[in-house]
Amino acid sequence: MAKAKGKAGAGLFSPHIHSPFSVEKVMWDVVIALIPAGIAGVYFFGANALRIIAISLVTGLLTELVMGILSKRGITIFDGSVVITSLLFAYNLPPAAPWYVIVFGNMFAVAIVKWAFGGLGYNFMNPAIGGRLFVMIAWSGVMSGRWSPTIRSFMEKGMDFWQASQAIVSPEMMTSASALTVLKIDGYAGLYKQGLFDYWNLFIGNVPGCIGETSVLAILIGFVYLLVRRVITWEVPVIYVGTVAFLSWIFGGLSHGTGWFTGDALFHILSGGLMLGACFMANDSVTSPLSFSGNVFYALMLGFLTTMIRLFGGYPEGVAFSIAVMNIFVPLIDRYFRPSLYGYRRAVLKKARES
């Protein structure tokens, strides 16, 4: 009998339930769900986004192949997990990210965060999140100060796709700031001045940011696909985003001098990496709790940490740090929020009838 991997190993004893899902089916469904965000990234950030995605995929596949051989686990590049990590890591990079940031960041994600702890099913943290934190620390200037505008405004002026792709990564253009950075430094006045306070542009992704996290529309398309396919459940993304919205509304105005209950919840939902993190990284089945109640607590804490970092921390964004911290606490959450044992209720009823 094949040995169960990772958390699946918790269910070694009967009774077992046959599931039509396999690891490979789930992984490739997630890959399909990530495609709209990639298309949006190429649409808004041009050939640079395509370059980053391609380098990340090649790096991830080669690292996975080498680590699988070195650890004598065989060739694992076809299960889809490394494709997910590579896509998510690429989506978390700015469009002007140099090649070495992509290569070394994704190598760290796959080799250290995933394989150093045993491979798929044993990683303590989402590998893409680990890779993003690594490059944020190692190349903080690249990750925080080299935001580019989208190519759409250049194409409206007559440039073609390739010319606009080159224009947005020229040194004079890489001085734009993300919407959350502008809010952090200059407040809402700065957002209006730079034309970043536009809900529609934030929703479709026509704003500076990481290549795969700006388009909420594309991310939601993938999220709905995963819900329909029953690959994920709703509780972590919905509660996470809802908590950020609620707390941003309560505390969001304090740092701008407008008082309590004046924060713009919708702006915080549409900005930064919240939607990508909530829909594709926070609910990773390996690094999220087992029980419903555990997931509720986990999502509430994610929302709390993200909001506190965004509003009162040193960084304008808090999604990656929040997911990394709560991933570490998942074993402790599972200890206190245990799922119901299969058949427990029926056994209690039978015992009650017999007494």
Side-chain angles (χ1 to χ4, degrees):
M1 184 178 72
K3 185 179 179 181
K5 298 178 181 178
K7 282 195 171 183
L12 292 176
F13 303 104
S14 62
H16 299 294
I17 300 175
H18 175 73
S19 170
F21 294 105
S22 65
V23 171
E24 289 77 12
K25 284 183 179 178
V26 170
M27 294 297 172
W28 287 111
D29 264 337
V30 178
V31 171
I32 292 171
L34 284 168
I35 290 175
I39 294 173
V42 175
Y43 180 77
F44 288 112
F45 298 107
N48 311 292
L50 202 57
R51 173 185 64 87
I52 290 172
I53 292 171
I55 294 175
S56 183
L57 280 171
V58 171
T59 303
L61 289 168
L62 289 176
T63 307
E64 178 86 3
L65 183 63
V66 171
M67 294 305 296
I69 293 172
L70 290 178
S71 61
K72 299 180 180 179
R73 293 276 298 274
I75 297 175
T76 57
I77 58 175
F78 300 110
D79 64 18
S81 63
V82 71
V83 178
I84 296 173
T85 297
S86 300
L87 288 177
L88 285 174
F89 177 70
Y91 291 0
N92 276 276
L93 295 174
W99 68 267
Y100 52 86
V101 171
I102 311 167
V103 170
F104 291 113
N106 202 18
M107 284 176 64
F108 182 87
V110 177
I112 305 299
V113 182
K114 179 182 177 182
W115 276 99
F117 294 87
L120 179 62
Y122 295 95
N123 48 292
F124 73 100
M125 180 189 298
N126 184 293
I129 288 291
R132 172 164 178 162
L133 293 179
F134 173 71
V135 297
M136 283 179 68
I137 295 169
W139 294 283
S140 57
V142 173
M143 293 299 294
S144 60
R146 298 181 66 175
W147 301 108
S148 303
T150 63
I151 65 170
R152 308 316 305 172
S153 57
F154 293 90
M155 294 183 72
E156 290 171 0
K157 295 176 182 175
M159 289 188 182
D160 62 28
F161 179 80
W162 302 106
Q163 290 172 331
S165 297
Q166 290 297 317
I168 66 167
V169 294
S170 59
E172 59 271 19
M173 285 294 110
M174 289 189 296
T175 56
S176 299
S178 68
L180 286 175
T181 304
V182 174
L183 177 64
K184 191 87 172 180
I185 298 173
D186 299 324
Y188 290 105
L191 288 172
Y192 281 114
K193 185 178 180 181
Q194 297 193 29
L196 295 175
F197 203 92
D198 185 310
Y199 291 135
W200 176 248
N201 279 334
L202 287 168
F203 180 67
I204 63 173
N206 191 21
V207 291
C210 294
I211 62 173
E213 69 178 24
T214 60
S215 178
V216 175
L217 173 62
I219 293 168
L220 285 177
I221 291 172
F223 175 62
V224 171
Y225 172 80
L226 292 180
L227 284 178
V228 171
R229 295 282 295 167
R230 298 185 178 180
V231 171
I232 62 171
T233 54
W234 63 269
E235 55 262 25
V236 169
V238 172
I239 296 173
Y240 183 9
V241 174
T243 304
V244 171
F246 183 64
L247 295 179
S248 297
W249 171 62
I250 295 175
F251 301 109
L254 294 178
S255 55
H256 306 292
T258 55
W260 298 81
F261 304 103
T262 58
D264 193 318
L266 183 57
F267 175 82
H268 280 277
I269 290 175
L270 299 177
S271 303
L274 176 61
M275 294 302 295
L276 183 67
C279 295
F280 287 100
M281 293 189 279
N283 54 358
D284 182 345
S285 59
V286 177
T287 55
S288 58
L290 291 167
S291 67
F292 176 82
S293 55
N295 273 313
V296 171
F297 176 78
Y298 169 78
L300 288 171
M301 288 304 300
L302 282 173
F304 173 77
L305 289 174
T306 299
T307 309
M308 292 302 108
I309 293 173
R310 278 187 172 187
L311 298 181
F312 306 112
Y315 284 95
E317 177 62 282
V319 172
F321 284 112
S322 303
I323 295 175
V325 169
M326 290 312 298
N327 281 172
I328 295 171
F329 278 97
V330 163
L332 189 61
I333 296 173
D334 281 338
R335 185 174 179 180
Y336 288 97
F337 295 92
R338 297 182 177 180
S340 300
L341 295 176
Y342 181 77
Y344 175 76
R345 291 181 180 278
R346 184 173 297 178
V348 171
L349 290 173
K350 184 178 179 182
K351 186 176 180 180
R353 292 193 192 100
E354 293 174 350
S355 62

